Amino acid sequence: MAASLIGMTLPSWASHLEHKLAPPPLLLVQAFVNTLDLDLRTDVLAHADEARAWLADAGLRDPGPSSPGQADTDFAADLQLARDVRESLRAMIARNTEGKPLTEAELRPLEQVTQQAKTRLEVTSDGQVRLGTAIPVQRLADGLAGLLLTIRDAQADGSWDRMKLCGNPECRWAFYDRSHSRRGAWCEMASCGNKLKNRNLRARRAQAS
Ligand SMILES: [Zn+2]
C-alpha cells in the first residue's frame, strides 16, 4: 500500500517513512538518513544487494553491472562512503536541535563527496542559473553531492531548520517539524515522546521514594 504525502504517492525509496515527512526534494535526505532505524534495528544499507537496489531506486547511484558475475569492484568502497555520509548528515541534522559543531570525523566523508563529485553550473533558456550534478546520476559521489545541494537550497529558504532528530537517544530518527512553534522534539509522541517522559517520571519517583 502506498502511503500518501499531501495527495502525492510516496516514492518506493521512502516507503520506510511514515510520518513527519519532509517536502521533496528534502524528503530524499530524510529517507537516506532514516535507512538506519535504531529503534527497529534495521539497516537498508547493511547488505550489499539491498543497499545497491535502494541507492539505485533513490537515484543516488547507477545500479552497476547488470549481468551477474560481473565485478562491481567499486561497490564496497561506495557502500562504506554511503554509510559514513549518512552519519555525517545525521550530525548535520543534530546540529539543528543540539547546536554542536560537526567533528572532523563527521566532516571527512562530506569532504570526500565534495572532492569526488562533478557538479556543474548551467544557465537555462529562461535565464535561470542552476547548480547540479550529472543526470542520470552514475557515481555515488554525484548522487550524494545532490543531497548536499538539496540541503544548501533548504538552508537558503529556511526549511532546513525544520529537519530535526528525535530527542530519544535510542531513536535519533530524522523528522520534519511542521509545528507552528517549531519546537517539536520527537519523531512521534506515542513511540518516543511519552515513552521517554514516562521513563523520566519513573526515575524521578524512584529517586523521591
Ligand atoms: Zn523517536
Side-chain angles (χ1 to χ4, degrees):
M1 194 181 69
S4 120
L5 171 70
I6 321 168
M8 180 193 107
T9 303
L10 207 54
S12 52
W13 46 258
S15 60
H16 55 297
L17 306 178
E18 281 168 3
H19 39 247
K20 300 200 178 175
L21 303 172
L26 207 50
L27 181 68
L28 181 54
V29 175
Q30 182 185 26
F32 179 64
V33 170
N34 286 342
T35 50
L36 176 66
D37 189 325
L38 290 177
D39 191 35
L40 295 177
R41 294 171 194 270
T42 55
D43 183 356
V44 176
L45 302 185
H47 303 289
D49 287 345
E50 195 186 354
R52 189 196 304 270
W54 189 87
L55 291 169
D57 187 31
L60 293 178
R61 183 186 184 277
D62 188 82
S66 46
S67 54
Q70 214 178 326
D72 185 0
T73 46
D74 292 338
F75 192 64
D78 270 6
L79 190 52
Q80 191 56 52
L81 180 64
R83 290 176 188 148
D84 292 346
V85 166
R86 180 174 63 182
E87 292 323 297
S88 299
L89 297 185
R90 197 185 311 279
M92 286 175 72
I93 298 172
R95 209 197 159 279
N96 284 344
T97 32
E98 295 154 17
K100 272 190 302 189
L102 272 75
T103 64
E104 207 145 302
E106 287 161 346
L107 283 170
R108 210 170 298 127
L110 302 175
E111 280 162 12
Q112 201 180 326
V113 169
T114 54
Q115 279 166 13
Q116 288 178 5
K118 293 194 177 78
T119 49
R120 61 198 176 91
L121 197 58
E122 91 180 359
V123 182
T124 62
S125 58
D126 52 352
Q128 297 296 307
V129 182
R130 285 204 198 122
L131 181 62
T133 52
I135 290 181
V137 166
Q138 296 193 330
R139 297 161 63 249
L140 178 72
D142 289 331
L144 297 177
L147 295 182
L148 291 179
L149 289 173
T150 294
I151 292 173
R152 186 202 63 136
D153 289 345
Q155 287 173 338
D157 71 20
S159 57
W160 178 247
D161 295 345
R162 290 187 182 270
M163 277 305 302
K164 296 181 177 180
L165 285 191
C166 177
N168 177 357
E170 288 163 20
C171 175
R172 310 280 284 165
W173 186 260
F175 70 93
Y176 192 75
D177 182 8
R178 289 181 192 268
S179 69
H180 185 67
S181 65
R182 297 183 176 221
R183 289 172 69 184
W186 317 106
C187 67
E188 208 189 9
M189 200 37 135
S191 64
C192 278
N194 284 334
K195 225 194 291 182
L196 220 68
K197 279 182 190 166
N198 289 340
R199 194 189 300 168
N200 292 343
L201 189 68
R202 276 198 301 275
R204 275 201 303 274
R205 278 182 185 153
Q207 230 168 16
S209 64

